[in-house]
Amino acid sequence: MIKQQAVNSKFKLDLILKITQAINENLSVDDLLKQYENILFNDLKIGKIAVFKFNSSWETLLISGIANGLIDQIKIESDLANYDEITYISSDFPEHLRSFDFLIPVFHKNSVLAYILIGDLDEEMEGMSPAIRHLTFIQTISNIIIVAMENKRMHKQLLAQEAIKKEMELASKIQNLLIPNQSSLPQNKYISSQGYYQPHFEIGGDYYDFINFNDQELGFCIGDVSGKGIPAALIMSNFQATLRALFNPDTPLDELMNKLNQKVCESSSDEKFLTLFIGVYNYTTRKLRYVNASHHPPILYNFKTKETTHLKKGCIGLGMLDEIPIISVGEICIQDHSKLLCFTDGLIELEKGDKMEIGMQLISNLFSNNKKLNDTFLDLTRHIELGKKNKAVVDDISLFGIEFKA
């Protein structure tokens, strides 16, 4: 008896050594699975094997010695999920499980990682059934191999996530190159400017730009693609290239909007559209021509009269229809010392519980005063940082301001 126990112990230790060596050799998941099947089927003489593993959902990991169609009848949640210890499959179990002898759960960090059904192919075998003789050992080696497979899967997933993270960081750097930094914003005897850009994720669908056409004319715009993340960023980067190619002082703004709308329709899906505010300012005449394509109206504040004007004239958003039915080009003469704020909706939409709080009045109050543009932007960015701290920011945020000097 003692000799037989020693033989059994050595046998089991040899199998564990074989499994450990396979894991240390960094075998693939498929090779580990073959090793596992070989141990159960050939070394332990288990005739029927079914292994179900959880990986976001239950999947069949291994089937051996089982009639076709039987596995399809097994429902993990209703048939197996209530068992947390090795269980003999009695006549109380559903009929499609009675061809097995035992149900063995496999745990990892207090959670069930897998269920194993085992049984003997030859029901007339003499002596104690291998399924009964090796129950605890089967649970042990199953735990070792299935956890090793899970670790491999998680490591592979981690590597993929790291690769995606690096790609997103690169994409973020590239997108940031498309947004003017503070040193490149126009600063001259006619105007000064400030900008702020913060995507909700690494990359986003907001965009603003300044283009110095010549010594007398400045073009600028701000846009927002519906949605967030990679799809919005791809549409916006494509739009930026298109805008740069088409935007010039000789092309009337209504004609430009039709061309841009056509390009957006060609490059985006039906559910994606883009809001845009675009303007051309002449330093000499002090005239600003603009089109607002369903964007939040920029705020123009006059230091002398303390009046606030919202620049609303324009058309529907780009990509909403194949053709824009009506385009109204706005024109305003900025005679006095004034400042202009252009922004995307992330600045004014803050999450509060399960509702969206519209902070347009707050933004207007922060901007519509006689503070210099630099000081105004400090107030606005404090508002944004407070929203980020309170986890209330739910969208990309972009804004820029222009101070028209007297």
Side-chain angles (χ1 to χ4, degrees):
M1 180 71 177
I2 295 174
K3 184 178 179 181
Q4 182 62 40
Q5 289 178 343
V7 170
N8 286 338
S9 296
K10 184 178 185 308
F11 169 71
K12 292 176 180 179
L13 286 173
D14 287 344
L15 289 182
I16 290 178
L17 179 61
K18 183 192 294 187
I19 293 168
T20 304
Q21 287 174 338
I23 294 171
N24 289 340
E25 289 171 5
N26 200 28
L27 295 184
S28 67
V29 169
D30 289 340
D31 288 337
L32 281 177
L33 199 56
K34 289 176 183 177
Q35 187 85 279
Y36 177 56
E37 182 180 10
N38 181 64
I39 289 172
L40 292 178
F41 199 70
N42 296 322
D43 295 324
L44 297 178
K45 308 301 182 184
I46 306 300
K48 296 177 182 178
I49 307 163
V51 182
F52 306 94
K53 180 178 176 296
F54 188 79
N55 179 19
S56 72
S57 62
W58 287 101
E59 59 185 30
T60 304
L61 188 65
L62 176 63
I63 305 172
S64 185
I66 300 169
N68 292 333
L70 179 61
I71 292 299
D72 295 336
Q73 300 178 49
I74 298 174
K75 308 301 179 186
I76 307 298
E77 298 296 339
S78 57
D79 292 342
L80 310 179
N82 292 326
Y83 298 92
D84 56 6
E85 59 184 23
I86 298 174
T87 303
Y88 172 67
I89 298 177
S90 66
S91 59
D92 295 332
F93 276 71
E95 185 177 350
H96 54 269
L97 294 178
R98 293 177 200 163
S99 59
F100 298 98
D101 293 325
F102 288 94
L103 164 63
I104 303 174
V106 175
F107 287 87
H108 181 55
K109 296 182 178 179
N110 299 321
S111 297
V112 177
L113 183 61
Y115 287 107
I116 303 168
L117 293 169
I118 61 172
D120 286 329
L121 186 62
D122 185 356
E123 296 179 358
E124 303 300 325
M125 295 178 67
E126 295 183 1
M128 184 181 291
S129 164
I132 297 175
R133 250 193 344 258
H134 301 302
L135 282 175
T136 305
F137 182 64
I138 291 170
Q139 188 179 46
T140 299
I141 63 172
S142 298
N143 186 277
I144 292 171
I145 284 196
I146 292 175
V147 168
M149 293 169 60
E150 178 67 7
N151 288 338
K152 275 183 167 292
R153 183 191 67 81
M154 293 179 66
H155 179 65
K156 185 177 180 180
Q157 187 179 60
L158 181 61
L159 291 177
Q161 289 174 345
E162 285 297 319
I164 292 173
K165 182 180 178 182
K166 289 181 180 179
E167 289 178 358
M168 290 296 288
E169 287 173 353
L170 178 60
S172 178
K173 289 178 181 178
I174 292 173
Q175 189 176 54
N176 281 325
L177 293 175
L178 304 180
I179 306 295
N181 56 44
Q182 188 59 42
S183 62
S184 67
L185 294 179
Q187 315 286 344
N188 53 48
K189 64 181 181 179
Y190 304 106
I191 65 167
S192 60
S193 56
Q194 291 278 326
Y196 179 94
Y197 171 71
Q198 179 64 60
H200 184 56
F201 302 119
E202 287 89 347
I203 55 177
D206 281 6
Y207 161 67
Y208 69 84
D209 207 352
F210 287 87
I211 303 175
N212 287 299
F213 293 129
N214 49 56
D215 293 339
Q216 299 298 319
E217 293 171 296
L218 172 71
F220 56 87
C221 68
I222 188 166
D224 184 2
V225 174
S226 59
K228 297 183 284 290
I230 295 174
L234 290 173
I235 293 172
M236 186 53 78
S237 61
N238 184 65
F239 177 79
Q240 190 261 5
T242 301
L243 179 72
R244 281 267 173 170
L246 297 176
F247 194 17
N248 64 75
D250 298 324
T251 301
L253 286 178
D254 53 351
E255 181 182 330
L256 173 65
M257 296 303 287
N258 279 318
K259 290 180 179 179
L260 291 175
N261 184 68
Q262 181 182 354
K263 294 295 183 181
V264 171
C265 289
E266 291 172 356
S267 63
S268 64
S269 56
D270 292 338
E271 69 273 11
K272 292 292 183 184
F273 63 91
L274 187 149
T275 67
L276 178 74
F277 179 88
I278 190 165
V280 177
Y281 180 64
N282 187 295
Y283 296 137
T284 303
T285 64
R286 298 182 67 91
K287 285 185 179 179
L288 170 63
R289 291 179 291 114
Y290 71 88
V291 172
N292 187 335
S294 293
H295 199 78
H296 276 291
I299 304 170
L300 181 65
Y301 175 78
N302 187 305
F303 282 80
K304 183 178 180 180
T305 64
K306 296 181 173 53
E307 292 179 345
T308 298
T309 304
H310 295 271
L311 307 186
K312 299 179 179 180
K313 282 192 175 182
C315 60
I316 62 172
L318 303 180
M320 290 183 173
L321 296 174
D322 291 339
E323 294 184 3
I324 301 175
I326 300 173
I327 301 174
S328 298
V329 178
E331 184 172 307
I332 188 167
C333 186
I334 303 175
Q335 297 178 341
D336 302 311
H337 185 194
S338 302
K339 57 183 178 180
L340 176 71
L341 179 67
C342 299
F343 53 92
T344 58
D345 55 13
L347 178 63
I348 60 173
E349 293 181 0
L350 299 180
E351 194 174 62
K352 192 173 184 180
D354 59 352
K355 298 179 180 179
M356 298 300 293
E357 184 178 78
I358 306 301
M360 190 62 224
Q361 187 59 52
L362 173 61
I363 302 305
S364 183
N365 291 340
L366 289 175
F367 186 76
S368 300
N369 52 57
N370 280 26
K371 289 184 178 181
K372 293 287 189 179
L373 184 63
N374 288 353
D375 295 329
T376 302
F377 254 67
L378 286 175
D379 293 338
L380 291 169
T381 52
R382 285 194 197 102
H383 170 65
I384 295 169
E385 292 304 318
L386 180 62
K388 288 165 63 177
K389 182 178 179 180
N390 295 332
K391 298 181 179 179
V393 176
V394 294
D395 200 357
D396 307 326
I397 298 178
S398 296
L399 59 149
F400 68 80
I402 300 174
E403 183 169 337
F404 304 94
K405 299 175 183 179

